[in-house]
Amino acid sequence: MSGAESAGRKLVSVDFEVFGHVQGVCFRMYTEREGLRLGLVGWVKNTYSGTVVGQVQGPADAVEEMKVWLSKEGSPSSRITRASFTNQRTIDKVELSGFRTRF
C-alpha cells in the first residue's frame, strides 16, 4: 500500500439508497452541499418508492464520512430509518464531475 492509500487518498465509488422520511425535506439539496463540502463528486435523486438514491466518488476517507452523514444526519427535517451502500469499489480516477441532483 502506498503512503497516499494509507492516508485515505485511495479513490472509491459507492452507490447509496436512503430510506425513511427523506423526500420533501430538502434531502437532495443538503446531500449535494455535504458532498461538495467533503470534496466529493456524485449525484442524487428521488425514487418513485419514496427513497433517495445516488452515487458518490472521491477519497476513501471522505466517502466514509459521507456514508455516515447519509446514514445518521441528512437534512434537518429528514428522518432516516436506514441507508444501504452497494457496489463500493476502488477507482483510478473520478468518473463524474460536480455533485448534481438528477430528475
Side-chain angles (χ1 to χ4, degrees):
M1 182 184 301
S2 73
E5 287 178 324
S6 65
R9 293 291 98 186
K10 176 177 70 170
L11 296 175
V12 297
S13 174
V14 68
D15 299 338
F16 65 86
E17 184 167 13
V18 184
F19 300 80
H21 182 64
V22 292
Q23 289 190 8
V25 291
C26 300
F27 197 91
R28 292 172 300 166
M29 179 184 73
Y30 277 88
T31 300
E32 273 189 54
R33 283 186 188 169
E34 186 66 9
L36 291 171
R37 185 187 74 78
L38 292 171
L40 299 171
V41 298
W43 58 270
V44 59
K45 74 180 248 180
N46 286 341
T47 68
Y48 289 113
S49 61
T51 64
V52 171
V53 296
Q55 184 179 73
V56 294
Q57 297 181 347
D61 54 351
V63 169
E64 288 305 311
E65 197 173 331
M66 185 70 173
K67 286 167 66 175
V68 171
W69 186 90
L70 287 165
S71 299
K72 302 190 180 315
E73 193 167 335
S75 65
S77 300
S78 65
R79 289 190 309 279
I80 299 164
T81 55
R82 72 182 173 96
S84 164
F85 300 96
T86 57
N87 302 322
Q88 185 157 332
R89 60 191 169 89
T90 302
I91 54 176
D92 293 326
K93 61 181 183 185
V94 293
E95 302 156 338
L96 306 165
S97 62
F99 210 108
R100 297 187 173 32
T101 294
R102 292 185 177 174
F103 296 95

